[in-house]
DNA sequence: CGGAATTTTGAAACCTTTCAAATTGGGTGG
DNA sequence: CCACCCAATTTGAAAGGTTTCAAAATTCCG
């Protein structure tokens, strides 16, 4: 069974390490409240093969999804064959919940690896989820803005470092990072289409990052030598989850 | 009184031509329902001088705003002085209403010209506004995705044409375009910071667009020679408002 | 009219792409 | 376990698009 395809209901399954649960908790959700709804959601999980669509552009209504396993991405295809990845989605990320009655997805969501997704737990079942979803939506938007800045004002080296740092943070949030290392199931070509570069140039710049001692990348696994130093080096300003939680709390009087 | 500063309450004021009202109507809002709440909102309008902030990054809670006159923009400043415009805001656009309890703006909203804004009409006063705001939010996200594609996969010429086409569409939506012409109160430097280019190169490419007969641009006024042909030329796929309305309607049973 | 902001020009340096082609790596079938 | 194939990574050289740095020309405004 290919990496990332492992079905949820296998023997070694432990809800406490479920990336979605870890992420929700990191976003401020009470563990108990989370586990309830999530267990149900997980039970209804279904797999999607790599390269398949999770949602397609133009479809009338896209049902919201919660990604449980594997990586997905929001991508837009241009008429001439060029493509642009808007953002990557990792386990614990929500899909298509932003604009309330989220009508049209302005981009297609595809599975980058084999994936497992499910319907997100309903707010009706666990009201505490409302805050979590709001924080998640705010983070999603922050990531879109970060992507714009990356493409508009960073050079190739900075773009690569910045994106890897973001992914590292997000994988730390959902418990999938191992310290400064993490699995990166992306080809350099996919990375290039996310960073507005060619795969050839991504390759050259990654090699340089290796030579500079900024990172290791081998066999789908990336290790950042010193994330903090790297962030400083490229002047990265990450979105702060903690501040978001505070703000979300502020508008939701604990009545 | 500088252009765009004209206070709402001047002699020639006509609510029917209020860009915000025109835009809301274009997004599917019933004229009567709109006028009510909007008249109130307009009465509470206040001016903001060019270059001032409407909302700042990191502030705990940004109150939502409705832009009535002038242009604003969401911008992010980098530590080294570079800056990136995320999107432009024109009259009729809503600010900071996306993520429900919209906690942190991940970017600063600044007035590009002198501006007049107000608190948006409350949904409580006119329930029909809920749909309008939802469609507006969906469009906002579509514009962000368009910006990503622009920066990631279009060359300088295409970026300029694509953005001008988008702005033309949006100004047509709120009634501020005159056929294929519209006021563009942006310097080439601001445009450059939105397009991820230098102002020098924007200047050169605009000149080329003029030579190619694609547009006229003089004294803050742009005329597109043939918007449809230009869109085809650069392979532009605009976000479809109509489809969005349909979708929004679909999820809001006309009980 | 005068000064500041914006637009325009030029030449050279720089970063990124292009187009092939070679190399490596992983997975499959024998 | 090896041969083989396809996908992904790597390398080179040359072309191309964009930036840089100045400085000149225009336009806008008070």
């Amino acid at each position: 069974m290919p990496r990332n395809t492992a079905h949820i209901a296998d023997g070694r399954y432990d809800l406490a390490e479920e990336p979605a649960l870890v992420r929700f908790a990191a976003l401020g959700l009470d563990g108990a409240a989370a586990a309830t709804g999530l267990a149900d959601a997980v039970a209804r999980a279904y797999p999607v093969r790599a390269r398949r669509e999770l949602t397609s552009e133009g479809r009338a209504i896209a049902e919201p999804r919660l990604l449980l396993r594997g990586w997905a991405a929001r991508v837009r295809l241009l008429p001439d064959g060029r493509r642009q990845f808007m953002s990557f989605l990792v386990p614990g990320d929500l899909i298509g919940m932003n604009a309330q009655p989220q009508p049209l997805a302005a981009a297609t969501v595809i599975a980058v690896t084999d994936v497992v997704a499910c319907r997100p737990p309903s707010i009706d079942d666990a009201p505490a989820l409302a805050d979590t979803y709001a924080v998640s939506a705010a983070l999603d938007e922050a990531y879109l803005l970060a992507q714009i800045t990356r493409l508009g004002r960073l050079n190739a080296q900075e773009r690569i470092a910045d994106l890897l740092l973001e992914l590292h943070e997000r994988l730390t949030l959902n418990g999938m990072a191992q310290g400064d290392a993490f699995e990166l199931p992306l080809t350099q070509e996919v990375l290039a289409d996310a960073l507005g570069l060619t795969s050839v140039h991504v390759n050259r710049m990654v090699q340089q990052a290796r030579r500079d001692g900024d990172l290791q990348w081998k066999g789908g696994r990336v290790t950042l030598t010193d994330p903090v130093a790297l962030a400083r080096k490229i002047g990265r300003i990450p979105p702060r989850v903690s501040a978001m939680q505070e703000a979300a709390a502020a508008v939701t009087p604990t009545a």
Side-chain angles (χ1 to χ4, degrees), chain A residues 165 168-169 179-181 214 223-233 236:
Chain A
L165 285 168
H168 177 241
E169 284 163 13
D180 296 339
D214 289 336
T223 303
L224 301 176
T225 307
D226 184 344
V228 176
L230 185 55
R232 195 173 359 160
K233 176 175 177 178
R236 172 176 165 76

Side-chain angles (χ1 to χ4, degrees), chain A residues 4 19 68 70-71 90-91 171-178 181-183:
Chain A
N4 287 311
L68 294 172
W71 287 47
V90 300
L171 292 172
T172 298
L173 203 64
N174 72 5
M176 288 179 69
Q178 296 86 41
F182 57 95
E183 297 295 322

Side-chain angles (χ1 to χ4, degrees), chain A residues 126-205:
Chain A
L129 282 171
D131 281 0
T132 309
Y133 289 171
V135 173
S136 182
L139 267 181
D140 282 347
E141 172 150 340
Y143 292 136
L144 282 189
L145 298 184
Q147 171 77 336
I148 291 176
T149 303
R150 203 146 44 213
L151 296 174
R153 282 294 171 242
L154 303 192
N155 63 30
Q157 281 194 70
E158 294 169 329
R159 286 183 209 182
I160 294 171
D162 188 71
L163 179 55
L164 291 179
L165 285 168
E166 177 187 305
L167 294 173
H168 177 241
E169 284 163 13
R170 293 171 60 184
L171 292 172
T172 298
L173 203 64
N174 72 5
M176 288 179 69
Q178 296 86 41
D180 296 339
F182 57 95
E183 297 295 322
L184 184 71
L186 307 178
T187 64
Q188 294 182 357
E189 185 167 3
V190 167
L191 212 49
D193 283 340
L195 295 175
L197 301 167
T198 60
S199 60
V200 171
H201 199 49
V202 165
N203 180 272
R204 291 183 169 121
M205 294 302 104

Side-chain angles (χ1 to χ4, degrees), chain A residues 45-132:
Chain A
Y46 63 96
V48 176
R49 281 312 177 76
R51 294 161 181 275
R52 284 289 165 61
E53 289 188 9
L54 287 180
T55 310
S56 52
E57 176 170 17
R59 179 169 301 170
I61 300 179
E63 316 88 71
R65 291 286 174 244
L66 169 60
L67 187 56
L68 294 172
R69 291 282 186 287
W71 287 47
R74 303 178 69 182
V75 61
R76 180 147 199 183
L77 303 173
L78 277 64
D80 65 355
R82 289 178 285 188
R83 68 177 178 177
Q84 176 64 48
F85 284 87
M86 306 298 171
S87 62
F88 292 111
L89 300 164
V90 300
D93 279 345
L94 293 155
I95 306 174
M97 304 207 29
N98 320 22
Q100 293 336 78
Q102 174 74 315
L104 289 196
T108 301
V109 177
I110 62 161
V112 174
T113 65
D114 285 346
V115 145
V116 177
C118 67
R119 283 178 48 196
S122 166
I123 292 183
D124 299 331
D125 297 342
L129 282 171
D131 281 0
T132 309

